[in-house]
Amino acid sequence: MRIPFLDLAAQAGSAGASVAEALAEGWYVGGPRVAAFEQELARYLGPAVEVVGVGSGTDAIELALRGLGVGPGDEVITVANTCVPTVAGIEAAGATPVLVDADPETATIDPARLAAALTARTRAVVPVHLYGRPADMTSIGAFAHEHGLLLVEDAAQAHGASIGETRVGSIGHAAAFSFYPTKNLGALGDAGAIVTSLDDVADRAVKLREYGQTPDRIAHLRADQSRLDTMQAAVLHAKLPHLERWNARRRAIAERYADALRDGPVRLPAGGGEHVHHLYVVRSGERDRLRARLLERGVETLVHYPLAVHQHPAWRELERPGALRESEQAAAEVVSLPLYPQLTDDEVDAVISALLA
Ligand SMILES: *Cc1c(COP(=O)(O)O)cnc(C)c1O
């Protein structure tokens, strides 16, 4: 049995009719469909948030920070155990990313290491809900509050994840979502959104996504553009009603893996009911051999991510006030198993058998 790492086509079907309607309407960037999706997502995320659609998740990080007034001369603390767009978005805002290490248990930013990264120039913290697992927002929020810092969630992997009754993306001063096709809520191309409960930030974000202009075409801020196009909004509108069911299926698959692999050859990810399992990431000291063995049995795997941020050639000079050993160790050991809502139990069992063989 061949088990692909992802099967995006299996999920795209529900969007066809919605795209056909949008095509017929003849409005291809912005417009009522974008506004409708923004409202639907806001309703889904929480009682008091506004959503501003933009061109990508990276742009959403940049514009959320700029909307909050973070820019040149400001330091933004984030985690070394993430993908490059987190720091690319911070740097695009003109701010300086400062890296801290991950917690060994959760793989998300370690709140105990924030204090060592704090300087007089620190303006914000960007925790990443990595792999769909909410970061420790209680401790991070307390730290941010104590030091007067802004909190911007990188929620690009965590659509629908929650802490208690609160959805991630509605906790910080602002948040960034990506709708890159592989995400839990994915478009058929690039798309993203800024989420905030602060009216003035939403207002600035609306200007920043389109030349700094108000609808009367008067530019109040200097900006280029980053728009959520109408076709992607139509796709996302069609898919959002399925997100809860898809996330539940992701959780069921994660449980099936966890039950069967408890005594297996790999280290399993820490559990957590609010997790939405964007990725199911196990760890092995013999990753390459493990991946080759799985591939022989038809099981495709990927590595998220092969390097911690500061290990990439382009990002070696980033500020890092402490050791980043946990992030480096994770990068050396992580391997992602297939996990998506359309995966059948038989396929999951085949992955398990391949791992236990
Ligand atoms: C996907 C992703 C982004 C960037 O989103 P794009 O839409 O690809 O720009 C940022 N942060 C994290 C954690 C992501 O997974």
Side-chain angles (χ1 to χ4, degrees), residues 34-346:
V34 170
F37 170 68
E38 289 171 338
Q39 279 158 24
E40 287 155 13
L41 183 62
R43 213 173 304 130
Y44 175 78
L45 289 175
V49 297
E50 285 180 70
V51 172
V52 179
V54 294
S56 74
T58 311
D59 288 354
I61 295 169
E62 175 198 341
L63 298 182
L65 287 166
R66 290 179 64 192
L68 285 160
V70 177
D74 296 331
E75 291 178 358
V76 175
I77 301 173
T78 191
V79 63
N81 190 33
T82 184
C83 49
V84 161
T86 306
V87 291
I90 293 169
E91 199 164 83
T96 305
V98 176
L99 298 178
V100 301
D101 209 0
D103 175 278
E105 180 69 11
T106 66
T108 58
I109 193 167
D110 185 348
R113 294 174 189 268
L114 293 171
L118 190 70
T119 75
R121 299 201 301 158
T122 309
R123 282 292 309 285
V125 182
V126 176
V128 181
H129 305 304
L130 195 72
Y131 309 146
R133 174 188 235 288
D136 178 358
M137 295 305 288
T138 307
S139 307
I140 301 161
F143 179 86
H145 186 73
E146 184 185 341
H147 298 284
L149 306 177
L150 296 162
L151 196 51
V152 177
E153 301 170 70
D154 181 343
Q157 302 190 352
H159 317 70
S162 55
I163 297 174
E165 299 290 295
T166 310
R167 297 251 190 237
V168 308
S170 69
I171 301 168
H173 296 92
F177 282 92
S178 165
F179 308 113
Y180 184 77
T182 62
K183 310 289 184 182
N184 288 34
L185 179 62
L188 301 182
D190 281 309
I194 299 153
V195 178
T196 182
S197 53
L198 303 171
D199 286 342
D200 59 324
V201 176
D203 194 55
R204 278 171 67 87
V206 166
K207 293 190 187 90
L208 287 168
R209 74 175 165 185
E210 202 155 24
Y211 320 124
Q213 292 183 171
T214 33
D216 54 6
R217 296 177 200 276
I218 309 292
H220 302 269
L221 302 166
R222 287 210 185 166
D224 56 14
Q225 60 87 353
S226 176
R227 293 179 289 225
L228 172 57
D229 77 59
T230 313
M231 290 304 140
Q232 302 311 338
V235 170
L236 294 166
H237 158 82
K239 289 175 103 179
L240 180 58
H242 302 290
L243 179 60
E244 282 293 286
R245 186 168 49 82
W246 285 338
N247 280 342
R249 176 66 188 150
R250 285 176 183 274
R251 285 197 192 99
I253 295 170
E255 261 170 52
R256 202 172 179 93
Y257 276 142
D259 284 346
L261 297 173
R262 189 153 292 136
D263 305 312
V266 294
R267 193 177 130 198
L268 300 178
E274 341 84 344
H275 204 310
V276 289
H277 296 286
H278 171 59
L279 293 166
Y280 194 81
V281 178
V282 300
R283 284 171 67 158
S284 164
E286 303 188 356
R287 173 172 68 198
D288 294 347
R289 217 172 314 154
L290 178 77
R291 293 190 68 204
R293 209 152 46 79
L294 288 173
L295 195 58
E296 268 171 35
R297 292 171 168 80
V299 177
E300 290 177 7
T301 59
L302 287 176
V303 172
H304 301 88
Y305 296 92
L307 296 173
V309 170
H310 62 289
Q311 296 176 304
H312 290 270
W315 295 95
R316 282 203 180 120
E317 288 92 51
L318 278 191
E319 307 234 13
R320 45 193 135 129
L324 302 172
R325 255 174 251 116
E326 186 49 40
S327 302
E328 291 165 7
Q329 184 80 20
E333 295 181 355
V334 289
V335 51
S336 308
L337 304 182
L339 192 161
Y340 40 96
Q342 292 73 24
L343 208 58
T344 64
D345 284 349
D346 283 349

